[in-house]
């Protein structure tokens, strides 16, 4: 008797390639991960309601601070904490994802979560994916255009990733996100818990 069949718990997890060269070129960069030091600033817009927000990723080894809209997530060796940019809410222990739900993004949007999103979208393409290169904030990026359909209309979703494995641009049905500033350094004081 052979092995019993089972459902893969992570069909869109890291390392799962699609077989499409254009898509896999982007995924292989995202899957490699990024450690920093990096400070990256993005302009974002949630397409439903056209709500604008800013996202900032600050990485240095195991320490990171991710700002999504008014939520600030600190994930450091000293602990995890969620705060507000305007101090309208007190800092709380843990990474409270609901504080950034209005952006439709998670704190891993710049890497692992975007790779999952791309894998899901690539499984639903209605035509060939197209590769191209772009530049964002003076950083070269590898991009892929995915032709998709919502059942009525067809549209193109675009995903771009820098050579270091960090998202540079996303333009899909939910959100528009574009890198506007990039520096290979961080402000170490930002990793201090409040």
């Amino acid at each position: 008797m052979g092995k019993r069949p089972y459902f893969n718990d992570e069909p869109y997890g890291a390392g799962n390639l699609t077989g499409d060269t254009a898509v896999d070129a982007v995924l292989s960069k995202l899957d490699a991960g990024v450690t920093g030091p990096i400070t990256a600033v993005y302009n974002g817009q949630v397409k439903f309601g056209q709500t604008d927000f800013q996202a900032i990723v600050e990485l240095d080894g195991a320490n990171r601070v991710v700002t999504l809209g008014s939520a600030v997530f600190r994930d450091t060796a000293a602990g995890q904490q969620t705060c507000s940019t305007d101090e309208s809410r007190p800092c709380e222990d843990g990474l409270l994802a609901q504080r950034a739900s209005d952006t439709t993004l998670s704190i891993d949007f710049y890497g692992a979560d975007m790779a999952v999103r791309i894998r899901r979208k690539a499984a639903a393409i209605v035509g060939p994916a197209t590769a191209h290169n772009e530049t964002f904030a003076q950083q070269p990026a590898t991009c892929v255009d995915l032709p998709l359909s919502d059942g009525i209309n067809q549209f193109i979703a675009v995903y771009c990733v820098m050579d270091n494995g960090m998202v540079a641009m996303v333009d899909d049905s939910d959100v528009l996100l574009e890198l506007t500033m990039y520096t290979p350094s961080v402000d170490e004081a930002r990793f201090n818990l409040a």
Side-chain angles (χ1 to χ4, degrees):
M1 292 178 75
K3 287 178 74 173
R4 291 180 57 152
Y6 68 97
F7 291 103
N8 184 344
D9 293 331
E10 280 296 329
Y12 302 114
N16 290 332
L17 298 179
T18 66
D20 184 302
T21 306
V23 177
D24 291 343
V26 170
L27 289 175
S28 62
K29 289 179 187 292
L30 285 171
D31 286 346
V34 60
T35 58
I38 291 169
T39 299
V41 179
Y42 301 84
N43 285 339
Q45 183 183 75
V46 178
K47 291 189 175 179
F48 182 75
Q50 296 185 330
T51 306
D52 294 330
F53 65 93
Q54 187 177 63
I56 304 170
V57 178
E58 300 161 89
L59 298 173
D60 193 9
N63 297 317
R64 66 178 174 162
V65 176
V66 177
T67 304
L68 285 170
S70 63
V72 180
F73 303 96
R74 285 189 179 86
D75 187 7
T76 71
Q80 296 179 330
Q81 185 178 65
T82 303
C83 300
S84 297
T85 55
D86 59 5
E87 299 180 4
S88 61
R89 297 175 70 174
C91 291
E92 297 179 69
D93 289 341
L95 302 175
L96 308 176
Q98 67 272 21
R99 291 258 202 117
S101 61
D102 59 337
T103 68
T104 73
L105 298 175
S106 77
I107 64 169
D108 295 314
F109 78 89
Y110 58 89
D113 283 359
M114 198 55 62
V116 170
R117 183 185 289 225
I118 293 169
R119 284 181 171 93
R120 284 186 177 136
K121 301 279 183 168
I125 58 175
V126 295
T130 306
H132 57 99
N133 296 314
E134 300 283 344
T135 301
F136 300 91
Q138 291 82 49
Q139 301 300 309
T142 301
C143 303
V144 64
D145 296 354
L146 301 180
L148 298 164
S149 173
D150 61 10
I152 299 170
N153 301 306
Q154 289 194 5
F155 61 96
I156 301 290
V158 183
Y159 303 94
C160 299
V161 63
M162 291 182 277
D163 290 341
N164 68 3
M166 193 165 203
V167 162
M169 197 271 284
V170 174
D171 185 1
D172 68 14
S173 57
D174 305 324
V175 68
L176 174 63
L177 188 72
E178 185 172 331
L179 181 74
T180 58
M181 190 200 85
Y182 176 90
T183 57
S185 62
V186 293
D187 176 357
E188 295 288 343
R190 296 274 298 148
F191 300 129
N192 296 333
L193 300 181

